[in-house]
Coordinates of all heavy atoms in Angstrom, one line a residue:
Y1 N -22.3 -10.4 -9.3 CA -21.4 -10.9 -8.3 C -22.0 -11.0 -6.9 O -22.3 -9.9 -6.3 CB -20.1 -10.1 -8.3 CG -19.4 -10.2 -9.6 CD1 -19.6 -9.2 -10.6 CD2 -18.6 -11.3 -9.9 CE1 -19.0 -9.3 -11.8 CE2 -18.0 -11.4 -11.2 CZ -18.2 -10.4 -12.1 OH -17.6 -10.4 -13.3
Q2 N -22.3 -12.1 -6.5 CA -23.0 -12.3 -5.2 C -22.0 -12.6 -4.1 O -21.9 -13.7 -3.6 CB -24.1 -13.3 -5.3 CG -25.1 -13.0 -6.3 CD -26.3 -13.9 -6.2 OE1 -26.4 -14.7 -5.3 NE2 -27.2 -13.7 -7.1
R3 N -21.3 -11.6 -3.7 CA -20.3 -11.7 -2.6 C -20.2 -10.3 -2.0 O -20.5 -9.3 -2.7 CB -19.0 -12.2 -3.1 CG -18.3 -11.3 -4.1 CD -17.1 -11.9 -4.7 NE -17.3 -13.0 -5.6 CZ -17.7 -12.9 -6.9 NH1 -17.9 -11.7 -7.4 NH2 -17.8 -13.9 -7.6
R4 N -19.8 -10.2 -0.8 CA -19.7 -8.9 -0.2 C -18.3 -8.3 -0.4 O -17.3 -9.0 -0.2 CB -20.0 -9.0 1.3 CG -21.4 -9.3 1.6 CD -21.6 -9.3 3.1 NE -23.0 -9.4 3.3 CZ -23.5 -9.4 4.5 NH1 -22.8 -9.3 5.6 NH2 -24.9 -9.6 4.6
A5 N -18.3 -7.1 -0.7 CA -17.0 -6.4 -0.8 C -16.5 -6.0 0.6 O -17.3 -5.6 1.4 CB -17.2 -5.1 -1.6
R6 N -15.3 -6.2 0.8 CA -14.6 -5.9 2.1 C -14.0 -4.6 2.1 O -14.1 -3.8 3.1 CB -13.6 -7.0 2.5 CG -14.2 -8.4 2.7 CD -14.9 -8.3 4.0 NE -15.4 -9.7 4.3 CZ -16.0 -10.0 5.4 NH1 -16.1 -9.1 6.4 NH2 -16.4 -11.2 5.6
E7 N -13.3 -4.3 1.0 CA -12.6 -3.0 0.9 C -12.5 -2.6 -0.6 O -12.4 -3.5 -1.4 CB -11.2 -3.1 1.5 CG -10.5 -1.8 1.5 CD -9.2 -1.9 2.2 OE1 -8.5 -2.9 2.3 OE2 -8.8 -0.8 2.8
A8 N -12.6 -1.3 -0.9 CA -12.4 -0.8 -2.2 C -11.4 0.3 -2.2 O -11.5 1.2 -1.3 CB -13.7 -0.4 -2.8
V9 N -10.4 0.2 -3.1 CA -9.4 1.3 -3.1 C -9.1 1.7 -4.5 O -9.0 0.9 -5.4 CB -8.1 0.6 -2.5 CG1 -6.9 1.7 -2.5 CG2 -8.3 0.2 -1.0
V10 N -9.0 3.0 -4.7 CA -8.7 3.6 -6.0 C -7.2 3.5 -6.3 O -6.4 3.7 -5.4 CB -9.2 5.0 -6.1 CG1 -8.8 5.7 -7.4 CG2 -10.7 5.1 -5.9
S11 N -6.8 3.2 -7.5 CA -5.4 3.1 -7.9 C -4.7 4.4 -7.7 O -5.3 5.5 -7.8 CB -5.3 2.8 -9.4 OG -4.0 3.0 -9.9
T12 N -3.4 4.4 -7.3 CA -2.6 5.6 -7.1 C -2.2 6.2 -8.4 O -1.8 7.4 -8.4 CB -1.4 5.3 -6.3 OG1 -0.7 4.2 -6.9 CG2 -1.7 4.8 -4.9
Q13 N -2.3 5.5 -9.5 CA -1.9 6.0 -10.8 C -3.1 6.4 -11.7 O -3.1 7.5 -12.2 CB -1.1 4.9 -11.6 CG -0.7 5.3 -12.9 CD 0.5 6.3 -12.9 OE1 1.2 6.4 -11.9 NE2 0.6 7.0 -14.0
S14 N -4.1 5.5 -11.8 CA -5.2 5.8 -12.7 C -6.4 5.9 -11.9 O -6.9 4.9 -11.3 CB -5.3 4.7 -13.8 OG -6.5 4.9 -14.5
T15 N -7.1 7.0 -11.8 CA -8.3 7.2 -11.0 C -9.5 6.4 -11.5 O -10.4 6.3 -10.8 CB -8.6 8.7 -10.8 OG1 -8.7 9.3 -12.1 CG2 -7.6 9.4 -10.0
G16 N -9.4 5.9 -12.7 CA -10.5 5.1 -13.3 C -10.4 3.7 -12.9 O -11.3 2.9 -13.3
V17 N -9.4 3.3 -12.2 CA -9.1 1.9 -11.9 C -9.2 1.8 -10.4 O -8.6 2.6 -9.6 CB -7.8 1.4 -12.4 CG1 -7.4 0.0 -11.8 CG2 -7.7 1.5 -13.9
F18 N -10.0 0.8 -9.9 CA -10.0 0.5 -8.5 C -10.1 -1.0 -8.2 O -10.5 -1.8 -9.1 CB -11.0 1.3 -7.7 CG -12.5 0.8 -8.0 CD1 -13.1 -0.1 -7.2 CD2 -13.2 1.3 -9.1 CE1 -14.4 -0.5 -7.5 CE2 -14.4 0.9 -9.4 CZ -15.1 0.0 -8.6
G19 N -9.7 -1.4 -7.1 CA -9.7 -2.8 -6.7 C -10.7 -3.0 -5.5 O -10.9 -2.1 -4.7
A20 N -11.3 -4.1 -5.4 CA -12.1 -4.5 -4.3 C -11.8 -5.9 -3.8 O -11.6 -6.8 -4.6 CB -13.6 -4.4 -4.7
T21 N -11.8 -6.1 -2.5 CA -11.6 -7.4 -1.9 C -12.9 -7.9 -1.5 O -13.9 -7.2 -1.2 CB -10.6 -7.4 -0.7 OG1 -11.2 -6.5 0.3 CG2 -9.3 -6.9 -1.2
T22 N -13.1 -9.3 -1.5 CA -14.4 -9.8 -1.2 C -14.4 -10.9 0.0 O -13.3 -11.4 0.4 CB -15.0 -10.6 -2.4 OG1 -14.2 -11.7 -2.7 CG2 -15.0 -9.6 -3.6
S23 N -15.5 -11.2 0.4 CA -15.7 -12.1 1.5 C -15.4 -13.6 1.1 O -15.2 -14.4 2.0 CB -17.2 -12.1 2.0 OG -18.1 -12.3 1.0
N24 N -15.3 -13.8 -0.2 CA -15.0 -15.2 -0.6 C -13.6 -15.3 -1.1 O -13.2 -16.3 -1.8 CB -16.0 -15.7 -1.6 CG -15.8 -15.1 -3.0 OD1 -15.2 -14.0 -3.1 ND2 -16.3 -15.7 -4.0
G25 N -12.7 -14.4 -0.8 CA -11.3 -14.5 -1.2 C -10.9 -14.0 -2.6 O -9.9 -14.5 -3.1
S26 N -11.7 -13.1 -3.2 CA -11.4 -12.7 -4.5 C -10.9 -11.2 -4.5 O -11.2 -10.5 -3.6 CB -12.7 -12.7 -5.4 OG -13.1 -14.0 -5.6
L27 N -10.1 -10.9 -5.5 CA -9.7 -9.6 -5.7 C -10.3 -9.2 -7.1 O -10.1 -9.9 -8.1 CB -8.1 -9.5 -5.9 CG -7.6 -8.2 -6.4 CD1 -7.9 -7.0 -5.6 CD2 -6.0 -8.3 -6.6
L28 N -11.1 -8.2 -7.1 CA -11.8 -7.7 -8.3 C -11.1 -6.4 -8.7 O -11.0 -5.5 -7.9 CB -13.3 -7.5 -8.0 CG -14.0 -8.7 -7.4 CD1 -15.5 -8.3 -7.1 CD2 -14.0 -9.9 -8.4
I29 N -10.8 -6.3 -10.0 CA -10.2 -5.0 -10.5 C -11.2 -4.5 -11.5 O -11.6 -5.1 -12.4 CB -8.8 -5.3 -11.2 CG1 -7.8 -5.9 -10.2 CG2 -8.3 -4.0 -11.8 CD1 -7.4 -5.0 -9.0
Y30 N -11.6 -3.2 -11.2 CA -12.5 -2.5 -12.1 C -11.8 -1.4 -12.9 O -10.9 -0.8 -12.3 CB -13.6 -1.9 -11.3 CG -14.6 -2.9 -10.6 CD1 -14.3 -3.5 -9.4 CD2 -15.8 -3.2 -11.3 CE1 -15.1 -4.4 -8.8 CE2 -16.6 -4.2 -10.7 CZ -16.3 -4.7 -9.5 OH -17.1 -5.7 -8.9
D31 N -12.2 -1.2 -14.1 CA -11.6 -0.2 -14.9 C -12.9 0.6 -15.5 O -13.5 0.1 -16.4 CB -10.8 -0.7 -16.0 CG -10.1 0.4 -16.8 OD1 -10.5 1.6 -16.8 OD2 -9.2 0.1 -17.6
L32 N -13.2 1.7 -14.9 CA -14.4 2.5 -15.2 C -14.3 3.0 -16.6 O -15.3 3.4 -17.2 CB -14.6 3.6 -14.2 CG -14.9 3.1 -12.8 CD1 -15.0 4.3 -11.9 CD2 -16.1 2.3 -12.7
R33 N -13.1 3.0 -17.2 CA -13.0 3.4 -18.6 C -13.5 2.4 -19.6 O -13.9 2.7 -20.7 CB -11.5 3.7 -18.9 CG -10.9 4.8 -18.0 CD -9.4 4.8 -18.2 NE -8.8 3.5 -17.7 CZ -7.5 3.3 -17.6 NH1 -6.7 4.3 -17.8 NH2 -7.0 2.2 -17.2
K34 N -13.7 1.1 -19.1 CA -14.2 0.0 -19.9 C -15.6 -0.5 -19.5 O -16.4 -0.9 -20.3 CB -13.2 -1.2 -19.8 CG -11.9 -0.8 -20.5 CD -10.9 -1.9 -20.4 CE -9.6 -1.5 -21.1 NZ -8.5 -2.4 -20.9
S35 N -15.9 -0.5 -18.2 CA -17.2 -1.0 -17.7 C -17.5 -0.3 -16.4 O -16.6 -0.3 -15.5 CB -17.2 -2.5 -17.6 OG -18.4 -2.9 -17.0
R36 N -18.7 0.1 -16.2 CA -19.1 0.6 -14.9 C -19.6 -0.4 -13.9 O -19.8 -0.1 -12.8 CB -20.1 1.7 -15.1 CG -19.6 3.0 -15.8 CD -20.6 4.0 -16.1 NE -21.3 4.4 -14.9 CZ -22.3 5.3 -14.9 NH1 -22.7 5.9 -16.0 NH2 -22.9 5.7 -13.8
V37 N -19.9 -1.6 -14.4 CA -20.5 -2.6 -13.6 C -19.7 -3.9 -13.4 O -19.9 -4.6 -12.4 CB -21.9 -2.9 -14.1 CG1 -22.8 -1.8 -13.9 CG2 -21.9 -3.4 -15.5
A38 N -19.0 -4.3 -14.4 CA -18.3 -5.6 -14.4 C -16.8 -5.4 -14.1 O -16.1 -4.5 -14.7 CB -18.5 -6.4 -15.6
P39 N -16.2 -6.3 -13.3 CA -14.7 -6.2 -13.2 C -14.0 -6.6 -14.5 O -14.5 -7.5 -15.2 CB -14.4 -7.1 -12.0 CG -15.6 -8.1 -12.0 CD -16.7 -7.3 -12.5
V40 N -12.9 -6.0 -14.7 CA -12.1 -6.4 -15.9 C -11.1 -7.6 -15.6 O -10.6 -8.2 -16.4 CB -11.3 -5.3 -16.5 CG1 -12.2 -4.2 -17.1 CG2 -10.3 -4.7 -15.5
L41 N -11.0 -7.8 -14.2 CA -10.1 -8.9 -13.8 C -10.6 -9.4 -12.5 O -11.0 -8.6 -11.6 CB -8.7 -8.3 -13.6 CG -7.5 -9.2 -13.1 CD1 -7.3 -10.3 -14.2 CD2 -6.3 -8.4 -12.9
Q42 N -10.6 -10.7 -12.3 CA -11.0 -11.4 -11.1 C -9.9 -12.4 -10.7 O -9.7 -13.3 -11.5 CB -12.4 -12.0 -11.2 CG -12.8 -12.7 -9.9 CD -14.2 -13.2 -10.0 OE1 -15.0 -12.8 -10.8 NE2 -14.5 -14.1 -9.0
L43 N -9.4 -12.3 -9.5 CA -8.3 -13.2 -9.1 C -8.7 -13.9 -7.8 O -9.3 -13.2 -6.9 CB -7.0 -12.5 -8.9 CG -6.4 -11.8 -10.1 CD1 -5.3 -10.8 -9.7 CD2 -6.0 -12.7 -11.1
A44 N -8.4 -15.2 -7.6 CA -8.6 -15.9 -6.4 C -7.4 -15.6 -5.5 O -6.3 -15.9 -5.9 CB -8.8 -17.3 -6.6
T45 N -7.5 -14.9 -4.4 CA -6.4 -14.5 -3.6 C -5.9 -15.7 -2.7 O -4.8 -15.6 -2.2 CB -6.7 -13.3 -2.7 OG1 -7.7 -13.6 -1.8 CG2 -7.0 -12.1 -3.6
N46 N -6.7 -16.7 -2.5 CA -6.3 -17.8 -1.7 C -7.1 -19.0 -2.1 O -8.3 -18.9 -2.5 CB -6.4 -17.5 -0.2 CG -7.7 -17.1 0.3 OD1 -8.6 -17.9 0.3 ND2 -7.9 -15.9 0.6
V47 N -6.6 -20.2 -1.8 CA -7.3 -21.5 -2.2 C -8.4 -21.8 -1.2 O -9.3 -22.5 -1.6 CB -6.3 -22.6 -2.4 CG1 -5.4 -22.4 -3.5 CG2 -5.6 -22.9 -1.1
S48 N -8.3 -21.3 0.0 CA -9.4 -21.7 1.0 C -10.6 -20.8 0.9 O -11.5 -21.0 1.7 CB -8.8 -21.6 2.4 OG -8.4 -20.2 2.7
K49 N -10.6 -19.8 0.0 CA -11.7 -18.8 -0.1 C -12.0 -18.1 1.2 O -13.1 -17.7 1.4 CB -12.9 -19.5 -0.7 CG -12.7 -20.0 -2.1 CD -14.0 -20.5 -2.7 CE -13.8 -21.0 -4.1 NZ -15.0 -21.3 -4.8
S50 N -11.0 -17.9 2.0 CA -11.2 -17.1 3.2 C -11.3 -15.6 2.8 O -10.7 -15.2 1.8 CB -10.1 -17.4 4.3 OG -8.8 -17.0 3.7
P51 N -12.0 -14.8 3.6 CA -12.2 -13.4 3.3 C -10.8 -12.7 3.0 O -9.9 -12.9 3.8 CB -12.9 -12.8 4.5 CG -13.6 -14.0 5.1 CD -12.6 -15.2 4.9
T52 N -10.8 -11.9 2.0 CA -9.7 -11.0 1.8 C -10.1 -9.6 2.3 O -11.0 -9.0 1.8 CB -9.3 -11.0 0.3 OG1 -9.1 -12.3 -0.1 CG2 -8.1 -10.1 0.0
Y53 N -9.4 -9.2 3.3 CA -9.7 -7.9 4.0 C -9.1 -6.7 3.5 O -9.7 -5.6 3.6 CB -9.5 -8.0 5.5 CG -10.4 -9.0 6.2 CD1 -9.8 -10.1 6.9 CD2 -11.8 -8.8 6.2 CE1 -10.7 -11.0 7.5 CE2 -12.6 -9.7 6.9 CZ -12.0 -10.8 7.5 OH -12.9 -11.7 8.2
T54 N -7.9 -6.7 3.1 CA -7.1 -5.5 2.8 C -6.6 -5.5 1.4 O -6.4 -6.5 0.8 CB -6.0 -5.3 3.8 OG1 -5.1 -6.4 3.6 CG2 -6.4 -5.2 5.2
L55 N -6.4 -4.3 0.9 CA -5.9 -4.0 -0.5 C -5.2 -2.7 -0.4 O -5.6 -1.8 0.1 CB -7.1 -4.0 -1.4 CG -6.9 -3.4 -2.8 CD1 -6.0 -4.3 -3.6 CD2 -8.2 -3.2 -3.5
A56 N -4.0 -2.7 -1.1 CA -3.2 -1.5 -1.2 C -2.5 -1.4 -2.5 O -1.8 -2.4 -2.9 CB -2.2 -1.3 0.0
F57 N -2.6 -0.3 -3.1 CA -1.8 0.0 -4.4 C -0.5 0.6 -3.9 O -0.4 1.4 -3.0 CB -2.5 1.0 -5.3 CG -3.7 0.3 -6.0 CD1 -5.0 0.3 -5.4 CD2 -3.5 -0.2 -7.3 CE1 -6.0 -0.3 -6.1 CE2 -4.6 -0.8 -7.9 CZ -5.8 -0.8 -7.4
N58 N 0.6 0.2 -4.6 CA 1.9 0.7 -4.4 C 2.0 2.2 -4.9 O 1.7 2.4 -6.1 CB 3.0 -0.2 -5.0 CG 4.4 0.2 -4.6 OD1 4.8 1.3 -4.8 ND2 5.1 -0.8 -4.0
K59 N 2.5 3.1 -4.1 CA 2.5 4.5 -4.6 C 3.7 4.8 -5.5 O 3.7 5.7 -6.3 CB 2.6 5.4 -3.4 CG 1.3 5.4 -2.6 CD 1.4 6.3 -1.4 CE 0.1 6.2 -0.6 NZ 0.1 7.0 0.6
R60 N 4.8 4.0 -5.4 CA 6.0 4.2 -6.2 C 6.0 3.3 -7.5 O 6.6 3.7 -8.5 CB 7.2 3.9 -5.4 CG 7.4 4.9 -4.3 CD 8.7 4.7 -3.6 NE 8.7 5.6 -2.5 CZ 9.8 5.9 -1.8 NH1 10.9 5.3 -2.2 NH2 9.8 6.8 -0.8
R61 N 5.4 2.2 -7.4 CA 5.3 1.3 -8.6 C 3.8 0.9 -8.8 O 3.3 0.0 -8.2 CB 6.1 0.0 -8.3 CG 7.6 0.3 -8.1 CD 8.6 -0.6 -8.6 NE 8.2 -1.5 -9.7 CZ 8.6 -2.8 -9.7 NH1 9.3 -3.3 -8.8 NH2 8.2 -3.6 -10.7
A62 N 3.2 1.7 -9.7 CA 1.8 1.7 -9.8 C 1.2 0.3 -10.3 O 0.1 0.0 -10.1 CB 1.3 2.8 -10.9
E63 N 2.1 -0.5 -10.9 CA 1.6 -1.8 -11.4 C 1.5 -2.8 -10.2 O 1.0 -3.9 -10.5 CB 2.5 -2.3 -12.5 CG 3.8 -2.9 -12.0 CD 4.9 -1.8 -11.8 OE1 4.6 -0.6 -11.8 OE2 6.1 -2.2 -11.7
L64 N 2.0 -2.5 -9.1 CA 2.0 -3.5 -8.0 C 0.9 -3.1 -6.9 O 0.7 -2.0 -6.6 CB 3.3 -3.5 -7.2 CG 4.5 -3.9 -8.1 CD1 5.8 -3.8 -7.3 CD2 4.3 -5.3 -8.7
L65 N 0.2 -4.2 -6.4 CA -0.7 -4.0 -5.3 C -0.6 -5.2 -4.4 O -0.1 -6.3 -4.9 CB -2.1 -3.8 -5.8 CG -2.8 -4.9 -6.6 CD1 -3.8 -5.5 -5.8 CD2 -3.4 -4.3 -7.8
C66 N -1.1 -5.1 -3.2 CA -1.0 -6.3 -2.3 C -2.4 -6.5 -1.7 O -3.2 -5.6 -1.5 CB 0.1 -6.2 -1.3 SG -0.1 -4.8 -0.2
T67 N -2.6 -7.7 -1.3 CA -3.8 -8.1 -0.6 C -3.5 -8.8 0.7 O -2.4 -9.4 0.8 CB -4.7 -9.0 -1.4 OG1 -4.0 -10.2 -1.8 CG2 -5.3 -8.3 -2.6
G68 N -4.3 -8.8 1.7 CA -4.2 -9.5 2.9 C -5.5 -10.3 3.2 O -6.5 -9.7 3.1
D69 N -5.4 -11.5 3.6 CA -6.6 -12.3 3.9 C -6.7 -12.6 5.4 O -5.9 -12.2 6.2 CB -6.6 -13.6 3.1 CG -5.6 -14.6 3.5 OD1 -5.1 -14.6 4.6 OD2 -5.3 -15.5 2.6
A70 N -7.8 -13.3 5.7 CA -8.2 -13.5 7.1 C -7.2 -14.5 7.8 O -7.2 -14.5 9.0 CB -9.6 -14.2 7.1
K71 N -6.4 -15.2 7.1 CA -5.5 -16.1 7.7 C -4.1 -15.5 7.8 O -3.2 -16.2 8.2 CB -5.4 -17.4 6.8 CG -6.7 -18.2 6.9 CD -6.6 -19.5 6.2 CE -7.9 -20.3 6.4 NZ -7.8 -21.7 5.8
G72 N -4.0 -14.2 7.5 CA -2.7 -13.5 7.6 C -1.8 -13.6 6.4 O -0.7 -13.0 6.5
A73 N -2.2 -14.2 5.3 CA -1.4 -14.2 4.1 C -1.4 -12.9 3.4 O -2.5 -12.3 3.2 CB -1.9 -15.4 3.2
V74 N -0.3 -12.5 3.0 CA -0.2 -11.3 2.2 C 0.4 -11.7 0.8 O 1.4 -12.4 0.7 CB 0.7 -10.2 2.8 CG1 1.0 -9.0 1.9 CG2 0.2 -9.8 4.2
K75 N -0.2 -11.2 -0.3 CA 0.2 -11.5 -1.6 C 0.4 -10.2 -2.4 O -0.3 -9.2 -2.2 CB -0.8 -12.3 -2.4 CG -0.8 -13.8 -1.8 CD -1.6 -14.6 -2.8 CE -1.6 -16.1 -2.2 NZ -2.4 -17.0 -3.1
V76 N 1.4 -10.2 -3.3 CA 1.7 -9.1 -4.1 C 1.3 -9.4 -5.5 O 1.6 -10.6 -6.0 CB 3.2 -8.7 -4.1 CG1 3.5 -7.5 -5.0 CG2 3.6 -8.3 -2.7
W77 N 0.6 -8.5 -6.2 CA 0.1 -8.8 -7.5 C 0.6 -7.7 -8.5 O 0.9 -6.6 -8.1 CB -1.4 -8.7 -7.6 CG -2.1 -9.6 -6.5 CD1 -2.4 -9.2 -5.2 CD2 -2.5 -10.9 -6.7 NE1 -3.0 -10.3 -4.6 CE2 -3.1 -11.3 -5.5 CE3 -2.5 -11.8 -7.8 CZ2 -3.6 -12.6 -5.4 CZ3 -3.1 -13.0 -7.7 CH2 -3.6 -13.4 -6.4
K78 N 0.8 -8.1 -9.8 CA 1.3 -7.1 -10.8 C 0.2 -6.9 -11.8 O -0.3 -7.9 -12.4 CB 2.5 -7.6 -11.5 CG 3.1 -6.6 -12.5 CD 4.4 -7.1 -13.0 CE 4.9 -6.1 -14.0 NZ 6.1 -6.5 -14.7
L79 N -0.2 -5.7 -12.0 CA -1.3 -5.3 -13.0 C -0.7 -5.1 -14.4 O 0.5 -4.8 -14.5 CB -2.0 -4.1 -12.6 CG -2.8 -4.1 -11.3 CD1 -3.3 -2.8 -10.9 CD2 -3.9 -5.2 -11.3
S80 N -1.4 -5.3 -15.4 CA -1.0 -5.1 -16.8 C -0.8 -3.6 -17.0 O -1.4 -2.8 -16.3 CB -2.0 -5.7 -17.7 OG -3.2 -4.9 -17.7
D81 N -0.1 -3.3 -18.0 CA 0.2 -1.8 -18.3 C -1.1 -1.1 -18.6 O -1.2 0.1 -18.3 CB 1.2 -1.8 -19.6 CG 2.6 -2.2 -19.2 OD1 2.9 -2.2 -18.0 OD2 3.3 -2.5 -20.2
S82 N -2.1 -1.8 -19.2 CA -3.3 -1.1 -19.6 C -4.1 -0.6 -18.4 O -4.9 0.3 -18.4 CB -4.2 -2.0 -20.4 OG -4.7 -3.1 -19.7
L83 N -3.8 -1.3 -17.2 CA -4.6 -0.9 -16.0 C -3.8 0.2 -15.2 O -4.4 0.8 -14.3 CB -4.8 -2.1 -15.1 CG -5.8 -3.1 -15.6 CD1 -5.8 -4.4 -14.8 CD2 -7.2 -2.5 -15.6
V84 N -2.6 0.5 -15.6 CA -1.9 1.6 -14.9 C -1.6 2.8 -15.7 O -1.1 3.8 -15.3 CB -0.6 1.1 -14.3 CG1 -0.8 0.0 -13.2 CG2 0.4 0.5 -15.3
S85 N -2.0 2.7 -17.0 CA -1.8 3.9 -17.9 C -2.9 4.9 -17.6 O -4.0 4.6 -17.5 CB -1.7 3.5 -19.3 OG -2.9 2.9 -19.7
V86 N -2.5 6.2 -17.7 CA -3.4 7.3 -17.5 C -3.9 7.7 -18.9 O -3.2 7.8 -19.8 CB -2.8 8.5 -16.8 CG1 -3.8 9.6 -16.7 CG2 -2.3 8.1 -15.4
V87 N -5.2 7.8 -19.0 CA -5.9 8.2 -20.3 C -6.2 9.7 -20.2 O -6.8 10.1 -19.3 CB -7.1 7.3 -20.5 CG1 -7.8 7.7 -21.8 CG2 -6.7 5.8 -20.6
P88 N -5.9 10.4 -21.3 CA -6.3 11.9 -21.3 C -7.8 12.0 -21.2 O -8.6 11.2 -21.8 CB -5.8 12.3 -22.7 CG -4.7 11.4 -23.1 CD -5.1 10.1 -22.5
G89 N -8.2 12.9 -20.4 CA -9.7 13.1 -20.2 C -10.3 12.2 -19.1 O -11.5 12.2 -18.9
E90 N -9.5 11.4 -18.4 CA -10.0 10.5 -17.5 C -10.8 11.2 -16.3 O -11.8 10.7 -15.9 CB -8.8 9.7 -16.9 CG -9.2 8.5 -16.1 CD -8.0 7.7 -15.8 OE1 -7.4 7.0 -16.7 OE2 -7.6 7.6 -14.6
D91 N -10.2 12.3 -15.8 CA -10.9 13.0 -14.8 C -12.3 13.5 -15.1 O -13.2 13.4 -14.3 CB -10.0 14.2 -14.3 CG -8.8 13.7 -13.5 OD1 -8.8 12.6 -13.0 OD2 -7.8 14.4 -13.4
K92 N -12.4 14.0 -16.4 CA -13.7 14.5 -16.8 C -14.7 13.3 -16.9 O -15.9 13.4 -16.6 CB -13.6 15.2 -18.2 CG -12.9 16.5 -18.1 CD -12.8 17.2 -19.5 CE -12.1 18.5 -19.3 NZ -12.0 19.2 -20.6
M93 N -14.2 12.2 -17.4 CA -15.1 11.0 -17.5 C -15.6 10.6 -16.1 O -16.8 10.3 -15.9 CB -14.3 9.8 -18.2 CG -15.1 8.6 -18.3 SD -14.2 7.0 -18.4 CE -13.3 7.1 -16.8
L94 N -14.7 10.6 -15.2 CA -15.1 10.2 -13.8 C -16.1 11.2 -13.2 O -17.0 10.8 -12.5 CB -13.9 10.1 -12.9 CG -13.0 8.9 -13.3 CD1 -11.7 8.9 -12.5 CD2 -13.7 7.5 -13.0
S95 N -15.9 12.4 -13.5 CA -16.8 13.5 -13.0 C -18.2 13.2 -13.6 O -19.2 13.4 -12.9 CB -16.3 14.9 -13.4 OG -15.2 15.2 -12.7
R96 N -18.3 12.9 -14.9 CA -19.6 12.6 -15.5 C -20.2 11.3 -14.8 O -21.4 11.3 -14.6 CB -19.4 12.3 -17.0 CG -19.2 13.6 -17.8 CD -19.4 13.4 -19.3 NE -18.5 12.3 -19.8 CZ -17.3 12.5 -20.2 NH1 -16.7 13.7 -20.2 NH2 -16.6 11.5 -20.7
I97 N -19.4 10.3 -14.6 CA -19.9 9.1 -13.9 C -20.5 9.4 -12.5 O -21.6 9.0 -12.1 CB -18.9 8.0 -13.8 CG1 -18.6 7.4 -15.2 CG2 -19.3 6.9 -12.9 CD1 -17.4 6.5 -15.3
A98 N -19.7 10.2 -11.8 CA -20.2 10.6 -10.4 C -21.4 11.4 -10.5 O -22.3 11.2 -9.7 CB -19.0 11.4 -9.7
A99 N -21.5 12.3 -11.4 CA -22.7 13.1 -11.6 C -24.0 12.3 -11.9 O -25.0 12.5 -11.4 CB -22.5 14.3 -12.6
S100 N -23.8 11.3 -12.8 CA -24.9 10.5 -13.2 C -25.3 9.5 -12.1 O -26.4 9.0 -12.1 CB -24.6 9.7 -14.4 OG -23.6 8.7 -14.2
S101 N -24.5 9.3 -11.1 CA -24.8 8.4 -10.0 C -25.9 9.0 -9.1 O -26.6 8.3 -8.4 CB -23.6 8.1 -9.1 OG -22.6 7.5 -9.9
Y102 N -26.0 10.3 -9.2 CA -27.1 11.0 -8.4 C -28.4 11.1 -9.1 O -29.4 11.5 -8.5 CB -26.6 12.3 -7.9 CG -25.4 12.3 -7.0 CD1 -24.1 12.6 -7.4 CD2 -25.6 11.8 -5.7 CE1 -23.1 12.5 -6.5 CE2 -24.5 11.7 -4.8 CZ -23.2 12.1 -5.2 OH -22.2 12.0 -4.4
D103 N -28.5 10.7 -10.3 CA -29.7 10.9 -11.1 C -30.7 9.8 -10.7 O -30.4 8.7 -10.3 CB -29.4 10.8 -12.6 CG -28.6 12.0 -13.1 OD1 -28.6 13.0 -12.4 OD2 -28.0 11.9 -14.1

């Protein structure tokens, strides 16, 4: 993916899921339980491809997140159940990924 990430935020529900906004107006959703390098979901946040600067996961409704772009537009997105479910052993898996990052 040849675009610059603007912001990356970890899900409030599942620590293995995080979102990143990009300079070309995309929202990338990563699920480290499935892939360490490729997003499992890529959404165009606006038709003008203006940079998407902000991203926030909803703390009360884990399936909802919002993005904000350079033109001031805010959008609310709904994630699938598979991206908000917590998997047993997820914290240990993330600890192994973090430890291997230093190798």
Side-chain angles (χ1 to χ4, degrees):
Y1 296 96
Q2 296 190 8
R3 61 189 72 80
R4 289 187 176 179
R6 293 288 182 176
E7 181 172 33
V9 179
V10 175
S11 167
T12 56
Q13 179 71 23
S14 174
T15 55
V17 174
F18 69 95
T21 58
T22 69
S23 59
N24 72 341
S26 292
L27 167 62
L28 306 175
I29 302 294
Y30 292 84
D31 185 344
L32 297 177
R33 301 168 298 188
K34 295 180 180 174
S35 173
R36 290 177 60 181
V37 295
V40 294
L41 181 62
Q42 180 176 342
L43 301 168
T45 61
N46 58 70
V47 293
S48 64
K49 295 189 178 184
S50 61
T52 303
Y53 289 119
T54 61
L55 165 67
F57 285 88
N58 189 304
K59 292 179 183 177
R60 293 185 184 196
R61 298 214 23 219
E63 76 277 12
L64 300 178
L65 62 108
C66 64
T67 57
D69 70 23
K71 294 187 175 183
V74 174
K75 289 191 177 180
V76 177
W77 306 89
K78 184 176 180 182
L79 297 175
S80 67
D81 290 340
S82 66
L83 290 170
V84 295
S85 61
V86 178
V87 176
E90 191 170 291
D91 289 337
K92 288 181 182 179
M93 177 203 64
L94 291 173
S95 293
R96 284 193 306 273
I97 290 172
S100 68
S101 297
Y102 294 109
D103 292 340

